[in-house]
Amino acid sequence: KSRAESRALLSADGAYYTFAAKDGNIGADSLYRFRISDQKLEKLSKDICGKYDALKMRIEDQNQDDICWVRSPKSSGDGRYVAYESNRRDFLDFLNDRQKPYEDGQGERVDIWLYDTDSGEESLLVEEAYALCWEGDCLIYERGLTYYSLSLDDKKTEKLFVEDFNEPTRYEGNHVFMKRTDHAAFCLDVQTKESFSFPIPNNGQSI
């Protein structure tokens, strides 16, 4: 399931837009960057990343809609790093183990991958997690309803917050909204670590 909508992200210096969009060569979304000054569009993500081959996996995918090559990119403040979600690791395991009994959610679990715009390298950053936003060189992410901050400078991870009463229902910028009861909701700012509750209108409106 998707944790965030894919949208174009403007770099801090206003020079680039970074986004995920359909790539006809692989039949799935790839990572792109659009330079505003000369309107140049550049594809960042690779079709083959280590043992993962997007086109080959797409051909072997009988449903033709289960590959999530790139999703929900998040650019660091200086624009050097782009974190994005992908199910390529779990989906390849699913393709290789199709003779085994199917498990609920198999092939759908996403990891966080990191693209370095300086080196052009892509690497697996965090398994089974969702990228939320950046705070300096620290990536804020969620894994199993626990929120973490990962520093790319010293590779240290800090636990920020644990939420055990419900699934997140929506992400907006640095804020996570969760439904607590039928009449109350909860909002967490993952950067400041501040949180508050608020009532849900009785008109059926969702948060």
Side-chain angles (χ1 to χ4, degrees):
K1 58 187 174 180
S2 177
R3 293 284 182 155
E5 296 178 359
S6 182
R7 63 188 69 181
L9 304 172
L10 181 64
S11 60
D13 59 5
Y16 296 94
Y17 278 108
T18 305
F19 58 95
K22 195 77 170 183
D23 183 346
N25 293 326
I26 63 173
D29 282 2
S30 290
L31 182 66
Y32 294 91
R33 182 169 65 176
F34 178 74
R35 188 163 60 201
I36 297 174
S37 60
D38 57 4
Q39 299 188 345
K40 179 182 178 181
L41 181 63
E42 179 185 8
K43 178 178 174 179
L44 300 180
S45 57
K46 302 177 180 67
D47 296 346
I48 300 176
C49 190
K51 64 180 179 180
Y52 306 102
D53 186 322
L55 182 58
K56 182 179 179 181
M57 293 168 66
R58 180 69 171 172
I59 292 173
E60 294 181 7
D61 174 18
Q62 296 177 354
N63 292 327
Q64 294 293 301
D65 61 0
D66 294 329
I67 292 290
C68 173
W69 193 248
V70 173
R71 187 182 74 184
S72 303
K74 304 290 190 301
S75 296
S76 60
D78 60 5
R80 175 177 176 179
Y81 298 106
V82 182
Y84 64 85
E85 299 166 5
S86 175
N87 75 341
R88 63 186 65 157
R89 181 184 64 89
D90 192 50
F91 192 70
L92 181 60
D93 291 343
F94 169 66
L95 290 175
N96 292 337
D97 295 337
R98 277 180 290 187
Q99 287 76 23
K100 297 181 180 180
Y102 175 78
E103 298 178 2
D104 185 39
Q106 189 176 11
E108 300 176 3
R109 291 179 283 266
V110 299
D111 306 316
I112 301 175
W113 288 71
L114 188 72
Y115 182 88
D116 186 335
T117 60
D118 283 359
S119 66
E121 295 181 356
E122 287 178 270
S123 58
L124 177 61
L125 188 62
V126 185
E127 294 185 359
E128 296 187 25
Y130 301 90
L132 301 182
C133 60
W134 290 86
E135 184 179 23
D137 68 344
C138 294
L139 176 67
I140 311 298
Y141 68 93
E142 179 253 313
R143 184 182 188 188
L145 294 183
T146 302
Y147 297 83
Y148 299 90
S149 173
L150 170 62
S151 171
L152 295 188
D153 184 33
D154 55 18
K155 307 302 180 184
K156 290 183 178 180
T157 300
E158 176 189 1
K159 183 184 291 186
L160 299 179
F161 188 86
V162 178
E163 184 49 74
D164 58 5
F165 56 76
N166 212 331
E167 286 277 340
T169 57
R170 198 178 77 198
Y171 292 97
E172 288 290 340
N174 304 328
H175 297 87
V176 183
F177 295 88
M178 308 174 199
K179 186 177 180 181
R180 236 176 184 160
T181 68
D182 289 339
H183 306 290
F186 172 89
C187 176
L188 165 70
D189 186 318
V190 296
Q191 290 188 332
T192 66
K193 306 175 190 177
E194 296 179 351
S195 62
F196 62 90
S197 298
F198 59 94
I200 297 178
N202 294 323
N203 57 6
Q205 183 178 352
S206 61
I207 63 171

Short mmCIF file of all heavy atoms in Angstrom, two decimals, residues 34-69:
data_model
loop_
_atom_site.label_atom_id
_atom_site.label_comp_id
_atom_site.label_asym_id
_atom_site.label_seq_id
_atom_site.Cartn_x
_atom_site.Cartn_y
_atom_site.Cartn_z
N PHE A 34 14.15 17.33 -13.26
CA PHE A 34 13.92 18.34 -14.28
C PHE A 34 14.64 19.61 -13.88
O PHE A 34 14.36 20.19 -12.82
CB PHE A 34 12.42 18.61 -14.44
CG PHE A 34 12.09 19.67 -15.44
CD1 PHE A 34 12.19 19.41 -16.81
CD2 PHE A 34 11.68 20.93 -15.04
CE1 PHE A 34 11.88 20.39 -17.74
CE2 PHE A 34 11.37 21.91 -15.95
CZ PHE A 34 11.47 21.64 -17.31
N ARG A 35 15.60 20.06 -14.71
CA ARG A 35 16.34 21.29 -14.42
C ARG A 35 15.58 22.47 -15.02
O ARG A 35 15.33 22.52 -16.23
CB ARG A 35 17.75 21.22 -14.99
CG ARG A 35 18.63 22.39 -14.56
CD ARG A 35 20.10 22.08 -14.78
NE ARG A 35 20.39 21.80 -16.20
CZ ARG A 35 21.45 21.11 -16.61
NH1 ARG A 35 22.30 20.62 -15.72
NH2 ARG A 35 21.66 20.93 -17.89
N ILE A 36 15.22 23.42 -14.19
CA ILE A 36 14.35 24.51 -14.60
C ILE A 36 15.06 25.48 -15.55
O ILE A 36 14.45 25.98 -16.50
CB ILE A 36 13.84 25.27 -13.35
CG1 ILE A 36 12.99 24.31 -12.49
CG2 ILE A 36 13.02 26.49 -13.75
CD1 ILE A 36 12.55 24.90 -11.17
N SER A 37 16.35 25.73 -15.35
CA SER A 37 17.06 26.76 -16.12
C SER A 37 17.03 26.49 -17.62
O SER A 37 16.79 27.40 -18.42
CB SER A 37 18.50 26.87 -15.64
OG SER A 37 19.19 25.63 -15.81
N ASP A 38 17.28 25.25 -18.02
CA ASP A 38 17.29 24.92 -19.45
C ASP A 38 16.23 23.89 -19.83
O ASP A 38 16.24 23.35 -20.93
CB ASP A 38 18.66 24.42 -19.89
CG ASP A 38 19.12 23.22 -19.08
OD1 ASP A 38 18.33 22.73 -18.23
OD2 ASP A 38 20.26 22.76 -19.29
N GLN A 39 15.32 23.60 -18.85
CA GLN A 39 14.21 22.65 -19.06
C GLN A 39 14.73 21.28 -19.51
O GLN A 39 14.13 20.63 -20.38
CB GLN A 39 13.20 23.21 -20.06
CG GLN A 39 12.57 24.50 -19.59
CD GLN A 39 11.43 24.96 -20.48
OE1 GLN A 39 11.24 24.49 -21.59
NE2 GLN A 39 10.62 25.88 -19.96
N LYS A 40 15.82 20.83 -18.92
CA LYS A 40 16.39 19.53 -19.24
C LYS A 40 15.83 18.47 -18.31
O LYS A 40 15.84 18.63 -17.09
CB LYS A 40 17.92 19.58 -19.12
CG LYS A 40 18.57 18.23 -19.42
CD LYS A 40 20.08 18.30 -19.23
CE LYS A 40 20.74 16.95 -19.50
NZ LYS A 40 22.20 16.99 -19.29
N LEU A 41 15.35 17.38 -18.90
CA LEU A 41 14.82 16.26 -18.13
C LEU A 41 15.86 15.14 -18.09
O LEU A 41 16.35 14.71 -19.15
CB LEU A 41 13.53 15.74 -18.74
CG LEU A 41 12.85 14.57 -18.02
CD1 LEU A 41 12.42 14.99 -16.62
CD2 LEU A 41 11.67 14.05 -18.83
N GLU A 42 16.20 14.68 -16.90
CA GLU A 42 17.22 13.65 -16.73
C GLU A 42 16.66 12.48 -15.94
O GLU A 42 16.04 12.66 -14.89
CB GLU A 42 18.43 14.23 -15.99
CG GLU A 42 19.55 13.24 -15.73
CD GLU A 42 20.65 13.84 -14.89
OE1 GLU A 42 20.48 14.98 -14.39
OE2 GLU A 42 21.69 13.18 -14.72
N LYS A 43 16.86 11.27 -16.46
CA LYS A 43 16.47 10.07 -15.72
C LYS A 43 17.60 9.70 -14.77
O LYS A 43 18.75 9.55 -15.18
CB LYS A 43 16.19 8.92 -16.69
CG LYS A 43 15.82 7.61 -16.00
CD LYS A 43 15.51 6.54 -17.03
CE LYS A 43 15.29 5.19 -16.39
NZ LYS A 43 14.97 4.14 -17.39
N LEU A 44 17.28 9.56 -13.49
CA LEU A 44 18.29 9.28 -12.49
C LEU A 44 18.43 7.79 -12.18
O LEU A 44 19.53 7.26 -12.14
CB LEU A 44 17.98 10.04 -11.20
CG LEU A 44 17.90 11.58 -11.30
CD1 LEU A 44 17.59 12.17 -9.93
CD2 LEU A 44 19.21 12.15 -11.84
N SER A 45 17.32 7.13 -11.93
CA SER A 45 17.38 5.72 -11.53
C SER A 45 17.80 4.83 -12.69
O SER A 45 17.56 5.14 -13.86
CB SER A 45 16.03 5.26 -10.98
OG SER A 45 15.01 5.47 -11.94
N LYS A 46 18.42 3.72 -12.35
CA LYS A 46 18.88 2.76 -13.35
C LYS A 46 17.84 1.65 -13.53
O LYS A 46 17.12 1.30 -12.59
CB LYS A 46 20.21 2.15 -12.92
CG LYS A 46 21.33 3.17 -12.71
CD LYS A 46 22.59 2.48 -12.23
CE LYS A 46 23.73 3.46 -12.01
NZ LYS A 46 23.45 4.39 -10.88
N ASP A 47 17.80 1.08 -14.73
CA ASP A 47 16.88 -0.02 -14.99
C ASP A 47 17.41 -1.33 -14.40
O ASP A 47 16.63 -2.24 -14.14
CB ASP A 47 16.67 -0.21 -16.50
CG ASP A 47 16.00 0.99 -17.14
OD1 ASP A 47 15.46 1.84 -16.39
OD2 ASP A 47 16.00 1.09 -18.38
N ILE A 48 18.70 -1.41 -14.22
CA ILE A 48 19.32 -2.56 -13.58
C ILE A 48 20.12 -2.06 -12.39
O ILE A 48 21.03 -1.23 -12.54
CB ILE A 48 20.24 -3.34 -14.55
CG1 ILE A 48 19.44 -3.85 -15.75
CG2 ILE A 48 20.91 -4.50 -13.83
CD1 ILE A 48 20.30 -4.55 -16.79
N CYS A 49 19.79 -2.55 -11.22
CA CYS A 49 20.46 -2.10 -9.99
C CYS A 49 20.91 -3.35 -9.23
O CYS A 49 20.11 -4.03 -8.59
CB CYS A 49 19.49 -1.27 -9.15
SG CYS A 49 20.24 -0.43 -7.75
N GLY A 50 22.20 -3.67 -9.35
CA GLY A 50 22.70 -4.89 -8.75
C GLY A 50 22.06 -6.10 -9.41
O GLY A 50 22.05 -6.24 -10.64
N LYS A 51 21.48 -6.97 -8.62
CA LYS A 51 20.82 -8.17 -9.15
C LYS A 51 19.37 -7.92 -9.56
O LYS A 51 18.68 -8.84 -10.02
CB LYS A 51 20.84 -9.29 -8.11
CG LYS A 51 20.06 -8.97 -6.84
CD LYS A 51 20.14 -10.15 -5.86
CE LYS A 51 19.38 -9.86 -4.57
NZ LYS A 51 19.46 -11.00 -3.62
N TYR A 52 18.93 -6.67 -9.45
CA TYR A 52 17.54 -6.34 -9.77
C TYR A 52 17.45 -5.74 -11.16
O TYR A 52 18.06 -4.71 -11.45
CB TYR A 52 16.98 -5.36 -8.73
CG TYR A 52 17.14 -5.87 -7.31
CD1 TYR A 52 18.15 -5.39 -6.48
CD2 TYR A 52 16.30 -6.86 -6.82
CE1 TYR A 52 18.31 -5.87 -5.20
CE2 TYR A 52 16.45 -7.34 -5.53
CZ TYR A 52 17.46 -6.85 -4.72
OH TYR A 52 17.61 -7.34 -3.45
N ASP A 53 16.68 -6.38 -12.02
CA ASP A 53 16.51 -5.97 -13.42
C ASP A 53 15.03 -5.63 -13.61
O ASP A 53 14.17 -6.52 -13.60
CB ASP A 53 16.93 -7.10 -14.35
CG ASP A 53 16.91 -6.70 -15.82
OD1 ASP A 53 16.00 -5.95 -16.21
OD2 ASP A 53 17.79 -7.16 -16.57
N ALA A 54 14.73 -4.34 -13.75
CA ALA A 54 13.33 -3.90 -13.80
C ALA A 54 12.57 -4.53 -14.94
O ALA A 54 11.44 -5.00 -14.77
CB ALA A 54 13.28 -2.37 -13.91
N LEU A 55 13.14 -4.53 -16.13
CA LEU A 55 12.42 -5.07 -17.29
C LEU A 55 12.22 -6.57 -17.17
O LEU A 55 11.13 -7.09 -17.46
CB LEU A 55 13.18 -4.74 -18.57
CG LEU A 55 12.51 -5.20 -19.88
CD1 LEU A 55 11.12 -4.58 -20.01
CD2 LEU A 55 13.38 -4.82 -21.08
N LYS A 56 13.24 -7.28 -16.73
CA LYS A 56 13.12 -8.73 -16.57
C LYS A 56 12.06 -9.07 -15.53
O LYS A 56 11.24 -9.99 -15.74
CB LYS A 56 14.47 -9.32 -16.17
CG LYS A 56 14.47 -10.83 -16.03
CD LYS A 56 15.85 -11.35 -15.66
CE LYS A 56 15.83 -12.87 -15.51
NZ LYS A 56 17.17 -13.39 -15.14
N MET A 57 12.06 -8.35 -14.43
CA MET A 57 11.07 -8.59 -13.39
C MET A 57 9.67 -8.26 -13.88
O MET A 57 8.70 -8.95 -13.56
CB MET A 57 11.42 -7.78 -12.14
CG MET A 57 12.69 -8.24 -11.44
SD MET A 57 13.29 -7.08 -10.18
CE MET A 57 11.98 -7.20 -8.96
N ARG A 58 9.57 -7.23 -14.70
CA ARG A 58 8.28 -6.85 -15.26
C ARG A 58 7.73 -7.93 -16.18
O ARG A 58 6.55 -8.26 -16.15
CB ARG A 58 8.43 -5.53 -16.02
CG ARG A 58 7.16 -5.01 -16.67
CD ARG A 58 6.16 -4.54 -15.64
NE ARG A 58 5.04 -3.85 -16.25
CZ ARG A 58 3.95 -3.47 -15.60
NH1 ARG A 58 3.86 -3.69 -14.32
NH2 ARG A 58 2.98 -2.87 -16.22
N ILE A 59 8.60 -8.51 -16.99
CA ILE A 59 8.17 -9.57 -17.92
C ILE A 59 7.73 -10.81 -17.15
O ILE A 59 6.74 -11.46 -17.51
CB ILE A 59 9.32 -9.92 -18.88
CG1 ILE A 59 9.59 -8.74 -19.82
CG2 ILE A 59 8.99 -11.17 -19.69
CD1 ILE A 59 10.81 -8.91 -20.70
N GLU A 60 8.43 -11.11 -16.06
CA GLU A 60 8.08 -12.29 -15.26
C GLU A 60 6.86 -12.06 -14.38
O GLU A 60 6.29 -13.01 -13.85
CB GLU A 60 9.27 -12.70 -14.40
CG GLU A 60 10.47 -13.19 -15.21
CD GLU A 60 11.61 -13.62 -14.32
OE1 GLU A 60 11.44 -13.66 -13.09
OE2 GLU A 60 12.69 -13.93 -14.86
N ASP A 61 6.45 -10.81 -14.24
CA ASP A 61 5.28 -10.47 -13.42
C ASP A 61 4.02 -10.78 -14.22
O ASP A 61 3.64 -10.03 -15.12
CB ASP A 61 5.34 -8.99 -13.02
CG ASP A 61 4.09 -8.55 -12.29
OD1 ASP A 61 3.34 -9.41 -11.80
OD2 ASP A 61 3.86 -7.33 -12.22
N GLN A 62 3.33 -11.83 -13.90
CA GLN A 62 2.16 -12.24 -14.67
C GLN A 62 1.00 -11.26 -14.52
O GLN A 62 0.18 -11.11 -15.43
CB GLN A 62 1.73 -13.64 -14.25
CG GLN A 62 2.79 -14.71 -14.56
CD GLN A 62 2.39 -16.08 -14.09
OE1 GLN A 62 1.38 -16.25 -13.42
NE2 GLN A 62 3.20 -17.08 -14.42
N ASN A 63 0.92 -10.59 -13.38
CA ASN A 63 -0.17 -9.63 -13.17
C ASN A 63 0.11 -8.29 -13.86
O ASN A 63 -0.80 -7.49 -14.06
CB ASN A 63 -0.40 -9.40 -11.68
CG ASN A 63 -0.96 -10.62 -10.99
OD1 ASN A 63 -1.72 -11.39 -11.59
ND2 ASN A 63 -0.58 -10.82 -9.74
N GLN A 64 1.38 -8.03 -14.18
CA GLN A 64 1.78 -6.84 -14.91
C GLN A 64 1.49 -5.53 -14.16
O GLN A 64 1.42 -4.47 -14.76
CB GLN A 64 1.09 -6.80 -16.29
CG GLN A 64 1.54 -7.91 -17.23
CD GLN A 64 2.99 -7.76 -17.64
OE1 GLN A 64 3.37 -6.75 -18.22
NE2 GLN A 64 3.80 -8.75 -17.34
N ASP A 65 1.31 -5.58 -12.88
CA ASP A 65 1.04 -4.33 -12.15
C ASP A 65 1.63 -4.33 -10.73
O ASP A 65 1.29 -3.49 -9.92
CB ASP A 65 -0.46 -4.06 -12.07
CG ASP A 65 -1.23 -5.17 -11.34
OD1 ASP A 65 -0.59 -6.14 -10.90
OD2 ASP A 65 -2.45 -5.04 -11.22
N ASP A 66 2.49 -5.29 -10.44
CA ASP A 66 2.97 -5.43 -9.07
C ASP A 66 4.36 -4.86 -8.84
O ASP A 66 4.82 -4.80 -7.70
CB ASP A 66 2.98 -6.91 -8.67
CG ASP A 66 1.57 -7.48 -8.59
OD1 ASP A 66 0.65 -6.72 -8.26
OD2 ASP A 66 1.40 -8.68 -8.87
N ILE A 67 5.05 -4.47 -9.90
CA ILE A 67 6.39 -3.90 -9.74
C ILE A 67 6.30 -2.45 -9.25
O ILE A 67 5.62 -1.62 -9.85
CB ILE A 67 7.17 -3.93 -11.06
CG1 ILE A 67 7.49 -5.37 -11.46
CG2 ILE A 67 8.47 -3.14 -10.94
CD1 ILE A 67 8.49 -6.04 -10.58
N CYS A 68 6.97 -2.18 -8.16
CA CYS A 68 7.10 -0.80 -7.66
C CYS A 68 8.59 -0.49 -7.69
O CYS A 68 9.30 -0.71 -6.71
CB CYS A 68 6.53 -0.71 -6.25
SG CYS A 68 6.82 0.88 -5.44
N TRP A 69 9.07 -0.02 -8.83
CA TRP A 69 10.51 0.22 -9.01
C TRP A 69 10.97 1.47 -8.27
O TRP A 69 11.98 1.47 -7.58
CB TRP A 69 10.83 0.31 -10.49
CG TRP A 69 12.28 0.24 -10.82
CD1 TRP A 69 13.07 1.25 -11.32
CD2 TRP A 69 13.15 -0.89 -10.69
NE1 TRP A 69 14.36 0.82 -11.49
CE2 TRP A 69 14.44 -0.51 -11.11
CE3 TRP A 69 12.95 -2.20 -10.25
CZ2 TRP A 69 15.52 -1.37 -11.10
CZ3 TRP A 69 14.03 -3.08 -10.23
CH2 TRP A 69 15.29 -2.65 -10.67
#
